[in-house]
Amino acid sequence: MFTGLLLTLVLTVLVLPLAVYAGPPVLAALRHEQPARQVVVPSYQQTPVRLASGGDEFPVPAGSEAPAPDTRVLAALLDAELAVDGSGKFSGAVQDALTGEVLYDLDGDAPVTPASSLKLLTAAAALSDLGSDTRFETGVYAGTAPGTIILKGGGDVLLTAGESDDDEIVGHAGLQTLADETAAALAERGTPGTVSIRLDDTLFTGAPLSPAWSREDVAAGEMAALYPLAINSAWAAEGVSSGPRAGDAALAAASAFAAALEASAAGYGFTVDPVIERGAAAEGADRLASVVSAPVADQVQQMLLSSDNYLAEALARMSAQATGREATFEGGTAAVLSAVSRLGVDTGGLVLADVSGLGSGTEISARQLAATVQAALTSTKNDVRALPYSLPVAGLSGTLSSRLTGTTGTGGTDGAGPSPAGVVRGKTGSLFAVTSLSGFVTDADGRLLSFAFVANGLEGNTAQARAAVDAAATVLAGCGCR
């Protein structure tokens, strides 16, 4: 009897936990239900609700110990996503960021129109040639004629008509602050009763409008004539990033400065001539006052987050000027090509019609876009390594703030896996017949991947193509892929 009781007790101890653990799946199987797999999502893959402090702290647990995706499995998953009904052709490339190995290639060497993904190259050039801490000066100089001053543009196209704000990128330098300092300096010199302003915008040379831009895009405010000083990237109204732009952004800035100086002059007993003429400052002229822009690194981030065409073109001209080239459209494209080549990207066959991605005629490959990101991630230059961490964050910032907000599953569909939000960083691109997404992602195994997906030749199905490139990036976030 004792032996029987002992045996019963042992069976109870063993069987009861097993029944509790295995019972539900067994019952589900009998009912022909598939038990849900519990997915453990790494902390760095969990959906964030906000950007980290400063917006630039992005965990990248990449290393040689993390397994890379299987190329065949990855190809099958991505090929399934990169397709749409109707017209359009996709190209794509995925690289291991650590080694540079190409893990996926879908016509990756074919020349394509990248739209605003091209700004990746412009950002690389600005950070490499100018340095992340460089600032652009807008100054006021004494003219050769009595009572004449020269407002000289130094490349800052993010001015504000108001006071300088050290906490802002757009409006870091203010024309009202510049006017206040100028008025005080003029009063100290005993300026005559009326002051005349001359505008020196000679830093940029050549045509202010690129032949690569369509008149329709310029009329729609996508771009405007380029000058080395402008308020809010030449948008007609401050605080907006859409609608019309000023046809002559330099003169508009000079007029705002004149109004600010007139207000400041009231306290010093002089007036300002409202007529503004163009004229260069004499070499060695006395500087009366100046304001400086936000650092180049901040301007690059602003350009990438908002996809600012005007700022992109201005930064390229400043890169040209810094490298001894003419600050023209041709000088800007040459500077960008040279900088990217120095980073180790094969620029063979690469043709730049502009540096913002707005114009027609650019030819670049998905491989070259992905390689630019990979080169920036692994660059030994700290300035250049700021590029990838300035990109929009999926679901959180910039042009990706409302995209890639779902979770990953088989083939990139919604499921129980990691979320691409907060994990994918990328530069978007969109034209009537083009959509693109280029950037980098840390996959579910902790492997860092750079990528570029581009669709050309679209006709009325741009939204579907955008969803396809987002789904492809979502696949990368969920890899595995073995």
Side-chain angles (χ1 to χ4, degrees):
M1 181 180 298
F2 176 77
T3 303
L5 288 173
L6 182 60
L7 181 60
T8 300
L9 180 60
V10 170
L11 289 173
T12 300
V13 171
L14 293 175
V15 172
L16 184 59
L18 180 62
V20 171
Y21 177 79
V26 171
L27 291 175
L30 291 174
R31 292 194 300 267
H32 303 289
E33 297 176 0
Q34 181 63 37
R37 175 176 175 263
Q38 298 302 307
V39 178
V40 178
V41 180
S43 61
Y44 57 83
Q45 285 274 347
Q46 294 174 7
T47 305
V49 295
R50 61 179 176 82
L51 282 173
S53 174
D56 58 358
E57 297 159 8
F58 183 67
V60 185
S64 57
E65 71 282 356
D70 182 276
T71 56
R72 289 175 297 179
V73 175
L74 183 62
L77 293 173
L78 292 178
D79 286 348
E81 301 293 0
L82 295 174
V84 290
D85 294 332
S87 63
K89 181 177 176 58
F90 283 90
S91 64
V94 177
Q95 287 185 253
D96 182 276
L98 191 66
T99 66
E101 178 187 359
V102 176
L103 303 174
Y104 176 72
D105 189 323
L106 175 65
D107 291 329
D109 289 324
V112 295
T113 299
S116 283
S117 281
L118 185 63
K119 292 183 175 73
L120 288 167
L121 279 68
T122 308
L127 291 167
S128 178
D129 292 336
L130 296 167
S132 59
D133 294 330
T134 297
R135 299 171 185 262
F136 306 145
E137 179 183 275
T138 304
V140 176
Y141 294 81
T144 54
T148 300
I149 59 173
I150 314 296
L151 173 66
K152 184 174 183 178
D156 186 359
V157 298
L158 300 180
L159 294 163
T160 177
E163 296 182 350
S164 300
D165 189 339
D166 291 342
D167 294 327
E168 297 294 331
I169 301 173
V170 181
H172 190 91
L175 294 173
Q176 182 64 63
T177 299
L178 183 63
D180 292 344
E181 294 180 3
T182 301
L186 288 171
E188 186 176 343
R189 288 175 172 239
T191 299
T194 300
V195 172
S196 298
I197 299 173
R198 300 290 182 265
L199 169 62
D200 184 348
D201 56 3
T202 58
L203 180 64
F204 292 174
T205 56
L209 283 171
S210 169
W213 303 333
S214 71
R215 293 182 178 179
E216 292 78 9
D217 283 337
V218 173
E222 294 293 338
M223 195 54 198
L226 193 65
Y227 294 97
L229 71 163
I231 296 173
N232 188 31
S233 284
W235 294 113
E238 285 203 64
V240 303
S241 55
S242 61
R245 298 194 199 234
D248 189 333
L251 188 58
S255 297
F257 171 75
L261 185 59
E262 179 72 30
S264 299
Y268 295 101
F270 66 89
T271 60
V272 177
D273 187 341
V275 178
I276 301 172
E277 298 179 357
R278 280 181 159 88
E283 187 173 350
D286 291 340
R287 185 178 64 186
L288 303 177
S290 65
V291 289
V292 294
S293 70
V296 164
D298 290 348
Q299 295 190 55
V300 164
Q301 184 178 57
Q302 173 68 22
M303 175 192 68
L304 294 173
L305 289 176
S306 62
S307 201
D308 188 334
N309 294 325
Y310 200 93
L311 180 55
E313 296 291 344
L315 287 172
R317 289 213 184 186
M318 294 304 291
S319 296
Q321 194 268 341
T323 53
R325 297 175 171 87
E326 287 290 321
T328 61
F329 287 116
E330 296 78 10
T333 56
V336 169
L337 278 171
S338 176
V340 172
S341 177
R342 292 197 309 273
L343 288 177
V345 178
D346 182 357
T347 57
L350 205 166
V351 178
L352 296 182
D354 65 6
V355 296
S356 59
L358 178 65
S360 59
T362 290
E363 294 185 353
I364 190 173
S365 70
R367 282 277 296 274
Q368 288 167 328
L369 288 168
T372 299
V373 177
Q374 190 267 338
L377 284 165
T378 57
S379 175
T380 58
K381 298 181 66 173
N382 287 335
D383 290 336
V384 176
R385 293 183 69 175
L387 188 165
Y389 303 102
S390 300
L391 291 169
V393 183
L396 292 175
S397 67
T399 55
L400 282 181
S401 60
S402 61
R403 292 171 58 176
L404 291 153
T405 57
T407 53
T408 62
T410 303
T413 59
D414 285 348
S419 169
V423 177
V424 175
R425 281 191 182 237
K427 182 69 199 77
T428 58
S430 184
L431 295 171
F432 179 76
V434 179
T435 194
S436 63
L437 180 62
S438 307
F440 71 103
V441 59
T442 304
D443 72 15
D445 285 330
R447 196 74 183 187
L448 189 61
L449 311 173
S450 66
F451 66 86
F453 305 121
V454 185
N456 279 186
L458 303 169
E459 293 182 12
N461 55 353
T462 305
Q464 294 89 335
R466 184 180 300 119
V469 298
D470 285 1
T474 301
V475 166
L476 296 180
C479 284
C481 300
R482 287 187 303 282

